[in-house]
């Protein structure tokens, strides 16, 4: 494995309270395309917060990808006033499904113990996955990663971005597509277009490739 040293300056502040996260989702209109009412989201956040106690602090309020796909969430991201986008060569972004992990069977759930995985920068997904498993962590799926940045924009920093290898695309022959989803910041080059420089970007990297600026976002668990 590549040797890396975590930078203590990259430690993130805690996520907003669940009630504030609920209001953020409502403000963005996520409840509308997810087929939920504003009251349903507020009620879930209130009950989850009351029942979770200290365990609920710092948890992410997530909408299940069946209700809120990546293609609908990505444009809601903002950085320097610029909206997020999905790269043009990933038109099948919503077909990347949870792999080797189970999401709660509920439209809303909590994601605990988020970590951006900075210490795994310059690892390949193939190297990072067994290391996360050994730590009793599971990788985030793409929609969880997007929603994390929606709630905590500072989770996405230039040169400290992350992959979401909990989402994979299975091909018709049963093998996996070598592309793996990631969220980073556009440089405005190539097909992104200069006008998208510094915009949040949903793209992909090869399963066996390493990138010095991409960690591996993960969680200690999920609860419906």
């Amino acid at each position: 494995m590549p040797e890396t040293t975590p930078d203590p300056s990259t430690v993130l502040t805690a996520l907003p309270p669940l009630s504030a996260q609920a209001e953020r989702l409502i403000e963005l209109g996520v409840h509308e395309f997810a087929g939920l009412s504003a009251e349903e989201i507020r009620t879930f956040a209130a009950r989850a917060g009351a029942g979770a106690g200290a365990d609920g602090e710092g948890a992410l309020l997530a909408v299940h990808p069946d209700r809120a796909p990546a293609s609908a969430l990505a444009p809601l991201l903002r950085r320097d006033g610029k909206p997020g986008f999905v790269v043009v060569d990933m038109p099948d972004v919503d077909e990347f499904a949870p792999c080797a992990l189970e999401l709660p069977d509920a439209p809303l759930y909590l994601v605990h113990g988020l970590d951006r995985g900075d210490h795994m920068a310059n690892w390949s997904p193939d190297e990072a996955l067994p290391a996360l498993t050994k730590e009793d962590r599971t990788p985030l799926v793409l929609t969880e990663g997007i929603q994390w940045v929606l709630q905590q924009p500072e989770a996405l920093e230039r040169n400290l971005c992350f992959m979401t290898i909990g989402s994979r695309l299975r091909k018709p022959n049963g093998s996996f597509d070598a592309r793996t989803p990631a969220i980073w910041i556009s440089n405005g080059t190539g097909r992104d277009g200069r006008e998208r420089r510094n915009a949040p970007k949903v793209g992909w990297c090869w399963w066996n490739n390493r990138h010095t600026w991409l960690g591996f976002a993960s969680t200690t668990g999920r609860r419906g």
Side-chain angles (χ1 to χ4, degrees), residues 75-209:
L76 302 178
L77 294 168
R78 290 290 185 279
R79 189 175 189 276
D80 290 350
K82 298 179 180 181
F85 67 99
V86 179
V87 294
V88 296
D89 54 355
M90 205 176 184
D92 50 1
V93 63
D94 293 336
E95 296 177 28
F96 284 75
C99 175
L101 57 88
E102 290 188 11
L103 301 184
D105 185 18
L108 299 166
Y109 62 95
L110 300 183
V111 184
H112 295 282
L114 290 172
D115 184 83
R116 194 168 56 189
D118 296 347
H119 63 292
M120 290 183 176
N122 206 33
W123 293 31
S124 71
D126 187 55
E127 293 165 333
L129 183 58
L132 290 173
T133 301
K134 188 176 180 179
E135 296 174 5
D136 292 324
R137 303 185 65 89
T138 56
L140 292 193
V141 298
L142 176 57
T143 54
E144 293 169 346
I146 297 173
Q147 291 178 79
W148 183 10
V149 180
L150 285 176
Q151 298 289 358
Q152 193 174 30
E154 63 268 28
L156 195 67
E157 301 180 57
R158 187 167 289 284
N159 299 320
L160 289 170
C161 303
F162 58 87
M163 300 192 71
T164 54
I165 61 174
S167 294
R168 300 293 306 274
L169 175 61
R170 194 177 290 277
K171 296 191 288 189
N173 65 6
S175 65
F176 284 114
D177 192 292
R179 295 172 297 163
T180 48
I183 306 170
W184 71 94
I185 299 167
S186 174
N187 285 326
T189 57
R191 287 183 287 181
D192 288 1
R194 286 183 295 177
E195 70 281 1
R196 282 176 164 162
R197 178 172 173 77
N198 293 325
K201 172 179 178 177
V202 173
W204 57 268
C205 299
W206 300 118
W207 180 258
N208 287 305
N209 282 11

Side-chain angles (χ1 to χ4, degrees), residues 51-59 110 112-113 220 223:
D55 187 48
E57 294 182 8
L110 300 183
H112 295 282
T220 56
R223 183 171 64 85

